[in-house]
Amino acid sequence: MRTIKILTLLIFCFSFSYSGGSIYSRFGLGTIKFSNVDKTAGLGGIGIALFDPVYINRYNPALWSELARVRISGGYLYEGTSTQDKFKNTFLTSGNFDGVMFAMPVWKKRGLTIATGLIPFSRVNYDVKKDSVVENRYFSQSYKGEGGISSFVFGFSFRPFDKFSIGFRGEYYFGTITNSWKTDFGTSEFFISSVKRERNYGGFGFTIGLAYGLGVRKNSLTLGFVFSSPVKLKGISTTEYTLPILTQSLVSEMNKFDAYLPYRAGFGLSYFITDRVQFSGDVYYQNWNRFKISGEHPEEITDALRIGAGVEILPSREMLAGFFEKTSYRFGIFYNKTYFKIEEKQINEFFFAFGFGFPVSFDTRLNLSVEYGLRGDVEIVRDKVLRISIGINTGEIWFVKQKIED
């Protein structure tokens, strides 16, 4: 089947990536990911109440209830980050597969749909070098981090009453984050020249979603709510110390650790101004003040709040309409009080976005989105971020009996 071939291709793309990004991802679990490769990227990353019967919603599992066909979506994300502080500028880029989702309607009358997929949760990708001179002695310090947390999800939606749907999604969080520090004095006079720490994470959680409204007519209003449970992550932390004595001795130690991932909750609305123009908005809160690693709360982590809004314009839904009439045009904006707090100052983001949904075939769309925004300020570190994503969203009918003519 065509859907299986596309799923295989998207999973194969997972192995292709290159890294480099914001120094802020050094803290906590890295930069928290929001949906960046489907239609929501061009709408400012919103989606808690984004009603669309041909879109697998990554935020709210209750909205799977309106899918009419087997669907698959996924894509690739490029991110360029220009970092500026009081002394210099650097530019780093990264490119990564950004998740895949598969959904299959089982009982359309009651909106029973099952779905599964792989979704990025956080990303660590920084590479920073600092040269210094103290008392006529030169030395360089380098900091590097890579990896992140992803979640494998499996869940369902159900519509017990007209215009009201519920959804449940089980989640297994997993991943590896590696941080390394290196100091080069040009001499073996000092004992520890480098440290590398690798943490492997794993833990179970869930997300519950609600949706009310569910329509594409003029003046149709959809309301959505999501709640993601706290998660206890467990794992093994391995630390390696390199000692510059004779043949450079390597000392390694291994310890068990746990981390507490707090709850997250959000509310959204979606309103069809006309049957061709849809406005959506989200508010999403994350209780990071309760985040802990090995029983301790990092002082550079605090609660986060994200607010976004977007508009999608689809000139025509007619099958015989022209290419540009069937193309979706999207615009969005969001403000994010991130969970980073450096020198007692919370790091904020402000982004603009636009995107297109190009019709490839009857039931396939190619989504192209561009986001540009600022993170932090020059007094600490200012990031200028450009994201370009490309994603595919396709569907087909399964389990339909073919009529055999005599």
Side-chain angles (χ1 to χ4, degrees):
M1 295 182 182
R2 182 187 60 173
T3 300
I4 296 297
K5 294 179 180 178
I6 294 175
L7 176 61
T8 303
L9 177 62
L10 289 172
I11 295 175
F12 177 73
C13 288
F14 183 78
S15 61
F16 294 93
S17 66
Y18 54 99
S19 64
S22 174
I23 185 62
Y24 289 118
S25 67
R26 173 185 176 187
F27 304 104
L29 298 177
T31 303
I32 303 303
K33 301 284 289 182
F34 293 89
S35 185
N36 292 120
V37 298
D38 52 29
K39 66 181 292 180
T40 64
L43 296 169
I46 53 88
I48 295 175
L50 186 61
F51 177 81
D52 189 333
V54 297
Y55 158 62
I56 307 176
N57 195 296
R58 293 192 182 190
Y59 293 99
N60 190 346
L63 291 167
W64 299 341
S65 66
E66 302 308 302
L67 295 175
R69 295 168 177 252
V70 172
R71 303 207 67 83
I72 182 172
S73 66
Y76 199 81
L77 171 68
Y78 162 87
E79 182 172 293
T81 304
S82 174
T83 298
Q84 177 185 4
D85 59 20
K86 296 179 181 179
F87 306 103
K88 63 179 181 179
N89 296 326
T90 59
F91 182 75
L92 297 170
T93 62
S94 66
N96 294 281
F97 170 80
D98 211 56
V100 61
M101 287 293 295
F102 173 83
M104 181 175 65
V106 177
W107 187 14
K108 295 180 184 179
K109 182 179 179 181
R110 286 299 179 189
L112 179 60
T113 298
I114 59 174
T116 188
L118 185 65
I119 303 175
F121 177 76
S122 72
R123 179 74 177 165
V124 176
N125 56 334
Y126 63 91
D127 191 351
V128 178
K129 183 178 181 180
K130 181 181 179 181
D131 297 324
S132 303
V133 177
V134 176
E135 296 181 354
N136 296 322
R137 183 187 297 277
Y138 162 84
F139 66 96
S140 66
Q141 296 170 295
S142 61
Y143 308 88
K144 186 176 181 180
E146 58 186 4
I149 307 295
S150 298
S151 63
F152 173 77
V153 303
F154 184 86
F156 67 91
S157 64
F158 185 69
R159 188 172 58 246
F161 311 108
D162 187 32
K163 297 184 178 182
F164 177 73
S165 294
I166 59 175
F168 176 87
R169 187 175 76 189
E171 301 158 338
Y172 177 69
Y173 293 84
F174 67 96
T176 300
I177 295 177
T178 302
N179 305 95
S180 60
W181 305 262
K182 183 177 181 180
T183 302
D184 184 3
F185 294 94
T187 175
S188 60
E189 185 177 339
F190 297 88
F191 288 103
I192 298 178
S193 63
S194 67
V195 179
K196 180 181 178 181
R197 184 188 66 202
E198 181 177 284
R199 283 175 170 166
N200 297 293
Y201 295 83
F204 291 93
F206 64 86
T207 292
I208 296 175
L210 305 174
Y212 177 80
L214 312 174
V216 296
R217 299 179 300 276
K218 180 180 179 180
N219 296 327
S220 294
L221 175 67
T222 298
L223 302 177
F225 173 79
V226 292
F227 174 84
S228 295
S229 70
V231 180
K232 187 172 184 178
L233 301 170
K234 295 184 177 181
I236 301 294
S237 177
T238 303
T239 306
E240 297 178 350
Y241 305 89
T242 303
L243 307 179
I245 52 178
L246 298 178
T247 57
Q248 286 210 327
S249 175
L250 182 65
V251 179
S252 178
E253 62 180 36
M254 186 177 296
N255 298 289
K256 293 182 179 181
F257 77 97
D258 58 64
Y260 179 80
L261 185 64
Y263 78 85
R264 293 92 66 207
F267 171 81
L269 63 85
S270 178
Y271 178 70
F272 278 88
I273 302 171
T274 73
D275 60 352
R276 301 290 183 266
V277 180
Q278 182 182 16
F279 169 84
S280 299
D282 282 358
V283 176
Y284 191 68
Y285 170 74
Q286 302 169 77
N287 183 221
W288 286 100
N289 270 330
R290 300 186 64 185
F291 173 68
K292 293 181 180 180
I293 293 183
S294 298
E296 296 184 1
H297 174 71
E299 63 179 12
E300 63 272 3
I301 301 299
T302 188
D303 285 352
L305 181 67
R306 191 177 193 274
I307 301 173
V311 174
E312 180 177 32
I313 302 171
L314 178 60
S316 177
R317 299 181 187 274
E318 299 297 327
M319 291 183 58
L320 299 179
F323 177 83
F324 293 104
E325 290 180 305
K326 292 191 294 184
T327 295
S328 298
Y329 303 89
R330 300 159 184 156
F331 308 91
I333 190 173
F334 74 82
Y335 174 75
N336 183 23
K337 296 181 67 174
T338 76
Y339 76 149
F340 302 123
K341 184 178 66 175
I342 311 300
E343 298 178 1
E344 297 302 319
K345 186 173 184 178
Q346 190 159 5
I347 305 303
N348 301 321
E349 297 178 334
F350 186 72
F351 274 74
F352 295 94
F354 66 91
F356 307 92
F358 299 111
V360 177
S361 65
F362 167 69
D363 207 20
T364 300
R365 281 190 174 268
L366 184 69
N367 294 307
L368 175 65
S369 302
V370 177
E371 298 174 89
Y372 180 79
L374 304 176
R375 177 191 299 126
D377 60 60
V378 180
E379 293 300 314
I380 304 175
V381 172
R382 163 66 60 84
D383 289 339
K384 298 179 181 178
V385 183
L386 173 67
R387 299 188 186 114
I388 301 174
S389 64
I390 185 168
I392 190 76
N393 176 21
T394 189
E396 62 181 36
I397 299 175
W398 285 12
F399 312 122
V400 176
K401 294 182 179 180
Q402 298 291 330
K403 183 178 179 181
I404 301 177
E405 298 183 3
D406 297 331

